[in-house]
Amino acid sequence: MHHFEDIYPFSAISGQEPMKKALILNAINPRIGGVLITGEKGTAKSTAARALAHLLPYRLVVNGCIFGCDPADKNGLCPDCQKKYPSLETITARMRVIELPISATEDKVIGSLDIEHALKKGEKRFEPGILAQAHRNILYVDEINLLNDHIVDVLLDAAAMGMNFIEREGVSYSHPSSFILVGTMNPEEGELRPQLLDRFGLCVDIEGIHDPIARVDIIRRRMEYEHDPDTFIRSWASREEELRERIVRAQTLLPRVLVSDRMLLLIAQICIDMNVDGHRADITMMKTAATVAAYNGRTEVTEDDVREVAPLVLTHRMRRKPFSEQQMDMQKIEQSIRNFTKEDQQPHHESPRDDENPLHQNAAPDGSTTTQFPEETPYSVTPYPLTPVHRHDAIQRNGNGRRTVTESPDGRYVRSCIPKMPGPDIALDATIRAAASHQKQQTGELAITIEPSDIREKVRERKMGTTLLFVVDASGSMGAERRMVAVKGAILSLLIDAYQKRDRVGLVTFHGNRADVLLSPTSSVDLARSSMRTLPVGGKTPLALGLIKGLEVLKREQKINQFSIPQLILISDGKANVSLGSGSPFDDARTIAAHIRDAKISSCVIDTEQGFLSLGLARKISDDLGARYVKLEDLADGHLERIVQGFGM
């Protein structure tokens, strides 16, 4: 009796067609560069990745090889398989989904050196990491935006080159690591740097299905699957086989697909019209359009192919400013195609000779057009054009999000030290250098003698971020539209500066008899922008409640995000008319401010008081907080550096 594995069929996934299409295209042509899936939780992202692996056909692998090398690819074999070639024992195996945990260290990802073997035998032996397991498989990275940036860099480098290069303790090692990269993220939990976004071949934005009939269909299928998985999988077996055969045919057909000069010009024109930086988008669109043609059984790319893949290729490459909307303007793409077609249809009185056409300079001797994908070339990625904050003095910024580093066991190895008590994270290179000075003729079983005093330990560091919590007075005293607009402008200026260093941002407002968390700390500038649009205004001024809420949020942030520096920005005139009990409202606020100072949370007060008669209440709150003090009009005049310098934002 045939055994059905308990994997939900790919064909049975209802809806989310763009996501399914992007996964299939990467399965046909891994050189596309992977797919980033952004969107809500519970939208079948991980289900689709596992189902795709189960859908794809069995393949030959070298028996016993930790990398699962392809015996037919002599140049792509690992060092051990190359030594055994051509006497390689083979077996068939199904593609697997290798998951990368958020807590993975760099050594866990790229691999490490077997220290015990090196000391005993004097030989290097590689301990494979996740990138070794991922070779010829699917590497699934959930919440990729929460990974350390240097880990994401390593993943994308390996995905682009198909190789993993390890430099550890003075030892170099490399092995094949060609995989289908599937990353997922919820934008509300933070974003990826634009440079990292650009290196994903495709991107799909998905959301929950809101059509009741479609949702019922999803529920019904899931219930049928959970009730009797074997029967459900059998009922979809024929459609799974059809899709599997179609993918295999497309893989066979892909090398014969022609991308004409006309289509290359169209692709280039679309990328120019959409203001895309660099050339990676052009090359990816060419590869993806050719893959769509192969998937549809054709050997020539058409305008429809280019139109179909443009949103997948350009969606994550469109944003130009940190607070602009991320939108795919399909009308602009259609207009670009129409303009190109219109120009192409105009009569040409004189056609350039083939040898004058720059697109033919690399053509084959027989005059044929491009049939092979060109190799990737270096790219120049232009950063977002942000408004710079000019700093005229040399005040040291102690807490900036992108430059502050701290020692961390999951950080990058930066140097060695003499440990108080030796642990497992030994710095082999530094240890051997320390032992080299007293080596004599060895007669024991060790290749080198290590004394206890020679042991050196790795010091690892990771970058620290900053959690900026804005506590904003939205009471009636702040109700004048002109003043609230000024406050929004001040917050926006600070958020842009925070964006440059990828800090986390939160927003608390207080008015009436309550204080509300409008935005929990996040690195998503989109959420921050949305929260700024709906600042509530009116009522009394519960300043003490606002400070209490701010303290609660930052203490919770310290518990869940130990590598972030908490900082509070109070935007208020200091007036208070709601007490915590029977005491003075202002005295209550001063007491809470002192608690915030004692909690060692650095603060800043932006005083919004205006008029000739100044009560100086915000200045007193600032003194109790031990905070940096600045007047709102100073920010309005553009002197943002007065608050930024020395405050650590």
Side-chain angles (χ1 to χ4, degrees):
M1 179 178 177
H2 182 72
H3 173 68
F4 288 91
E5 294 184 55
D6 190 14
I7 298 292
Y8 195 88
F10 189 88
S11 305
I13 298 175
S14 182
Q16 311 300 0
E17 296 305 319
M19 175 182 68
K20 292 164 64 177
K21 180 193 300 180
L23 290 170
I24 289 173
L25 294 178
N26 272 277
I28 297 170
N29 183 9
R31 293 185 63 190
I32 288 175
V35 56
L36 176 65
I37 305 172
T38 70
E40 306 170 3
K41 299 176 181 177
T43 46
K45 298 188 289 289
S46 60
T47 299
R50 294 184 180 90
L52 178 67
H54 188 76
L55 170 70
L56 297 177
Y58 282 83
R59 68 269 168 82
L60 282 177
V61 300
V62 176
N63 188 22
C65 176
I66 58 176
F67 306 104
C69 284
D70 181 359
D73 183 12
K74 180 181 178 181
N75 295 328
L77 295 176
C78 69
D80 289 342
C81 290
Q82 287 178 351
K83 295 176 182 177
K84 300 175 184 177
Y85 187 85
S87 302
L88 298 174
E89 182 183 347
T90 64
I91 59 172
T92 59
R94 189 185 292 280
M95 181 177 283
R96 297 181 296 144
V97 175
I98 307 300
E99 296 193 40
L100 188 147
I102 296 177
S103 59
T105 63
E106 187 175 12
D107 286 348
K108 181 71 173 177
V109 173
I110 69 173
S112 59
L113 189 68
D114 186 336
I115 296 178
E116 182 179 357
H117 184 82
L119 292 177
K120 285 186 175 181
K121 303 295 183 182
E123 301 171 347
K124 66 178 181 181
R125 186 165 72 181
F126 179 66
E127 287 288 340
I130 291 175
L131 289 180
Q133 302 174 44
H135 182 48
R136 302 184 69 203
N137 290 305
I138 295 174
L139 180 59
Y140 181 78
V141 187
D142 194 18
E143 297 180 315
I144 192 170
N145 52 318
L146 302 184
L147 284 176
N148 289 338
D149 279 354
H150 74 275
I151 297 292
V152 181
D153 281 326
V154 167
L155 295 179
L156 293 173
D157 283 342
M161 296 183 291
M163 294 289 293
N164 179 31
F165 296 94
I166 304 100
E167 297 283 345
R168 281 292 182 273
E169 286 79 41
V171 177
S172 299
Y173 188 86
S174 64
H175 67 79
S177 184
S178 177
F179 49 84
I180 300 172
L181 178 62
V182 179
T184 69
M185 59 178 277
N186 184 347
E188 294 183 1
E189 297 172 345
E191 300 168 328
L192 278 176
R193 288 189 289 123
Q195 293 86 345
L196 298 180
L197 279 173
D198 182 57
R199 291 174 62 183
F200 273 94
L202 308 180
C203 181
V204 181
D205 294 324
I206 61 176
E207 59 183 20
I209 298 173
H210 303 294
D211 177 53
I213 296 177
R215 290 177 75 98
V216 168
D217 184 51
I218 293 173
I219 296 171
R220 183 180 292 114
R221 291 185 187 183
R222 190 70 197 184
M223 290 177 62
E224 292 175 0
Y225 170 73
E226 292 183 358
H227 177 69
D228 189 350
D230 282 0
T231 300
F232 183 81
I233 292 172
R234 277 194 199 92
S235 68
W236 287 90
S238 61
R239 273 167 282 194
E240 289 282 277
E241 185 60 30
E242 289 176 7
L243 183 54
R244 182 180 298 113
E245 292 178 354
R246 186 176 180 184
I247 290 174
V248 172
R249 287 197 301 269
Q251 290 172 333
T252 303
L253 187 62
L254 181 61
R256 305 204 304 270
V257 173
L258 301 176
V259 185
S260 67
D261 292 345
R262 181 174 178 274
M263 289 300 99
L264 291 177
L265 287 170
L266 173 59
I267 289 170
Q269 191 60 55
I270 290 174
C271 292
I272 292 171
D273 292 343
M274 300 302 288
N275 298 317
V276 175
D277 295 325
H279 305 289
R280 189 173 281 115
D282 308 59
I283 295 174
T284 304
M285 197 180 301
M286 175 192 69
K287 294 178 181 179
T288 312
T291 307
V292 168
Y295 185 58
N296 292 325
R298 291 181 279 102
T299 58
E300 187 170 353
V301 171
T302 66
E303 285 183 8
D304 287 338
D305 297 330
V306 175
R307 180 183 289 106
E308 182 177 346
V309 305
L312 298 174
V313 175
L314 300 178
T315 294
H316 55 308
R317 297 179 167 101
M318 293 307 304
R319 271 190 299 178
R320 307 292 297 184
K321 297 179 182 179
F323 290 91
S324 62
E325 295 281 358
Q326 179 174 330
Q327 294 180 340
M328 174 50 58
D329 192 345
M330 287 304 302
Q331 292 184 348
K332 190 172 182 179
I333 292 177
E334 287 294 337
Q335 185 62 46
S336 181
I337 294 175
R338 284 197 297 269
N339 291 343
F340 179 83
T341 304
K342 183 178 179 181
E343 293 177 4
D344 195 55
Q345 291 175 347
Q346 291 179 351
H348 298 280
H349 300 289
E350 183 177 352
S351 299
R353 301 193 317 269
D354 283 350
D355 58 354
E356 294 177 347
N357 188 340
L359 292 178
H360 284 274
Q361 289 179 0
N362 294 322
D366 61 358
S368 61
T369 55
T370 304
T371 58
Q372 298 289 331
F373 297 136
E375 293 295 322
E376 300 269 352
T377 56
Y379 301 95
S380 173
V381 181
T382 304
Y384 289 149
L386 302 174
T387 302
V389 179
H390 299 288
R391 300 177 174 85
H392 303 291
D393 57 31
I395 296 178
Q396 178 65 38
R397 301 176 61 212
N398 296 320
N400 51 62
R402 297 300 295 167
R403 298 178 189 174
T404 301
V405 293
T406 185
E407 293 186 10
S408 169
D410 64 346
R412 178 171 291 180
Y413 171 33
V414 292
R415 62 183 183 277
S416 63
C417 68
I418 299 175
K420 295 180 180 178
M421 181 174 294
D425 202 12
I426 297 175
L428 181 61
D429 54 339
T431 299
I432 293 177
R433 284 196 298 269
S437 60
H438 57 74
Q439 294 304 301
K440 298 180 180 179
Q441 184 68 30
Q442 300 300 315
T443 58
E445 62 179 26
L446 294 178
I448 184 173
T449 299
I450 305 292
E451 301 293 341
S453 60
D454 299 328
I455 299 295
R456 300 292 184 271
E457 197 170 59
K458 293 179 180 178
V459 176
R460 299 179 181 273
E461 290 182 350
R462 64 173 293 169
K463 295 175 181 176
M464 291 281 285
T466 301
T467 297
L468 305 174
L469 183 66
F470 296 99
V471 179
V472 181
D473 182 351
S475 65
S477 63
M478 295 280 292
E481 181 179 351
R482 180 173 60 85
R483 296 176 68 190
M484 184 55 76
V485 168
V487 170
K488 288 185 178 182
I491 296 175
L492 181 61
S493 297
L494 294 172
L495 284 173
I496 291 177
D497 189 60
Y499 173 86
Q500 291 175 300
K501 293 173 294 302
R502 315 303 297 148
D503 293 331
R504 291 168 63 81
V505 177
L507 176 61
V508 169
T509 62
F510 57 93
H511 67 115
N513 293 303
R514 57 188 295 177
D516 300 305
V517 180
L518 293 191
L519 176 71
S520 295
T522 177
S523 59
S524 171
V525 292
D526 292 325
L527 279 180
R529 183 193 62 245
S530 299
S531 298
M532 296 289 293
R533 292 174 177 167
T534 57
L535 279 175
V537 174
K540 297 181 180 181
T541 311
L543 177 56
L545 286 177
L547 292 174
I548 289 175
K549 183 65 70 174
L551 180 59
E552 290 176 354
V553 171
L554 288 177
K555 281 189 173 180
R556 184 171 62 250
E557 181 71 10
Q558 284 180 298
K559 290 181 180 178
I560 65 177
N561 191 357
Q562 59 178 318
F563 295 107
S564 183
I565 302 170
Q567 297 179 342
L568 184 147
I569 301 175
L570 174 64
I571 302 179
S572 172
D573 57 9
K575 296 176 183 177
N577 51 28
V578 176
S579 66
L580 299 177
S582 58
S584 162
F586 186 68
D587 288 343
D588 287 344
R590 296 190 67 176
T591 299
I592 303 304
H595 283 310
I596 293 174
R597 180 196 60 211
D598 293 342
K600 301 188 183 306
I601 295 175
S602 60
S603 307
C604 173
V605 173
I606 299 178
D607 187 355
T608 61
E609 185 179 34
Q610 294 181 343
F612 294 106
L613 180 61
S614 174
L615 300 178
L617 300 179
R619 169 70 78 174
K620 294 180 180 179
I621 295 293
S622 176
D623 292 341
D624 292 324
L625 285 168
R628 188 174 182 84
Y629 175 84
V630 65
K631 297 284 289 183
L632 178 63
E633 53 262 30
D634 292 337
L635 292 179
D637 291 339
H639 301 298
L640 184 58
E641 64 269 27
R642 293 184 185 178
I643 182 175
V644 173
Q645 289 171 341
F647 181 55
M649 289 188 295

